[in-house]
Amino acid sequence: MSTQEPQNDTLYAQAQTEVARFIFDERVVQVFPDMINRSVPGYSTILLMIGELAARYAQAHSRCYDLGCSLGGASFAMAKRIQAPGVDIHAIDSSPAMINRFAQLLETDAPACPISLTQADILDCDIHNASVVVLNFTLQFIPRDQRCKLLRRIADGMLAGGILILSEKICFDDQKHDDLVQDLHHFFKASNGYSEMEIAQKRNALENVLLPETLEQHRQRLLDSGLQNPNVWFQCFNFASLIAFK
Ligand code: GEK
């Protein structure tokens, strides 16, 4: 396991004859904070506000879940702000490299609110007694035909008054608007120092890996899963976060 300091994301800076399918391995872990901040507009604002939402909705003696936690951005944001007694945060990710690095970060910065880490597929995890569930840019990596079942299981494991926060890269039925927001996102990445080649190679790597859907598809699925009032609370170009209530 590497203990190196985080590095700048140069994973796609060199021309590759064949761009491999994107995976969350050790190389991605090393650059992950830089990669997500330079690629996802509003990422730091979303984390800040996940902390605020957890402060409001975490119920005493309940669980908060961070599903597809990566290095624990959302877990740390929640842990810093939760005041309710007896809350613990369950952070789950299928990538061993992510979980190993998150464990190292916890060793140096363990918050008062306990965070437990599990390396597992969120499709197989038990969810219960949940007052706050976070899927921060994770559902987009789950096969589309598995998403309903996962959201039903999440909704079934939630307490009355609990919330689900769902952040996703989204697409639009209106092709003209979809082209515009993709172009604005491209500009955002270029302004953050990514070259045209890096942007293009990363897009190829994510093809058929990151599978976006429309806001309407997300809203309908949340309702079908038994959650209520699904609404967007954050959006920037083709990135949005929704909140839904049990
Ligand atoms: C953050 N939420 O910083 N089971 C568990 N984990 C999974 C699965 C699965 N089936 N599929 C993908 N992952 C984080 C950012 S990143 C988003 C989330 C991004 C994990 C995967 O290993 C990765 O760590 C995470 O979902 C997606 O707030 O990189 O765009």
Side-chain angles (χ1 to χ4, degrees):
M1 183 195 331
S2 168
T3 53
Q4 280 172 26
E5 286 302 303
Q7 296 160 9
N8 291 339
D9 174 19
T10 55
L11 293 185
Y12 295 97
Q14 304 303 321
Q16 299 175 15
T17 38
E18 204 176 317
V19 179
R21 190 183 156 84
F22 189 85
I23 52 166
F24 292 95
D25 60 7
E26 184 60 43
R27 290 173 69 236
V28 168
V29 167
Q30 287 298 336
V31 302
F32 187 75
D34 183 59
M35 171 186 279
I36 198 154
N37 275 297
R38 285 161 72 210
S39 306
V40 176
Y43 176 71
S44 61
T45 304
I46 292 171
L47 288 189
L48 177 77
M49 299 314 294
I50 285 175
E52 172 61 15
L53 288 165
R56 292 176 188 218
Y57 288 98
Q59 299 175 27
H61 308 291
S62 72
R63 294 173 157 216
C64 297
Y65 285 89
D66 182 4
L67 303 177
C69 57
S70 299
L71 303 183
S75 295
F76 283 115
M78 290 194 283
K80 271 191 206 139
R81 296 292 316 284
I82 290 170
Q83 295 292 325
V87 173
D88 43 32
I89 296 172
H90 293 260
I92 302 167
D93 202 290
S94 52
S95 157
M98 285 288 184
I99 289 291
N100 289 341
R101 178 73 186 129
F102 188 174
Q104 289 175 353
L105 296 174
L106 265 183
E107 274 169 25
T108 54
D109 178 20
C113 178
I115 301 176
S116 73
L117 305 187
T118 306
Q119 190 249 309
D121 191 322
I122 55 171
L123 293 169
D124 301 329
C125 287
D126 167 53
I127 293 166
H128 66 273
N129 192 30
S131 57
V132 178
V133 179
V134 175
L135 279 165
N136 202 35
F137 301 107
T138 302
L139 192 66
Q140 59 197 17
F141 295 106
I142 302 293
R144 287 195 178 103
D145 63 357
Q146 304 284 310
R147 293 179 186 181
C148 273
K149 205 171 79 184
L150 172 63
L151 285 192
R152 282 230 173 84
R153 226 162 23 75
I154 292 172
D156 288 349
M158 285 169 63
L159 298 168
I163 58 164
L164 170 66
I165 301 167
L166 172 65
S167 312
E168 288 278 292
K169 185 173 189 185
I170 52 170
C171 57
F172 294 85
D173 287 329
D174 178 341
Q175 193 58 51
K176 201 170 166 191
H177 188 65
D178 199 65
D179 290 346
L180 172 64
V181 289
Q182 283 200 47
D183 221 42
L184 292 175
H185 180 230
H186 190 113
F187 170 82
F188 173 84
K189 290 188 76 166
S191 344
N192 283 333
Y194 285 116
S195 68
E196 294 296 315
M197 186 182 65
E198 281 177 292
I199 296 171
Q201 292 192 141
K202 175 79 178 289
R203 192 192 305 121
N204 287 347
L206 285 172
E207 186 84 38
N208 299 322
V209 175
L210 191 168
L211 305 164
E213 293 176 300
T214 64
L215 282 175
E216 202 32 54
Q217 287 173 310
H218 286 299
R219 270 200 210 97
Q220 193 55 52
R221 185 185 296 114
L222 290 164
L223 289 169
D224 293 345
S225 307
L227 296 172
Q228 292 163 15
N229 302 87
N231 276 300
V232 172
W233 63 272
F234 178 92
Q235 189 178 339
C236 186
F237 322 135
N238 43 351
F239 291 80
S241 189
L242 295 99
I243 184 167
F245 300 80
K246 180 72 185 279

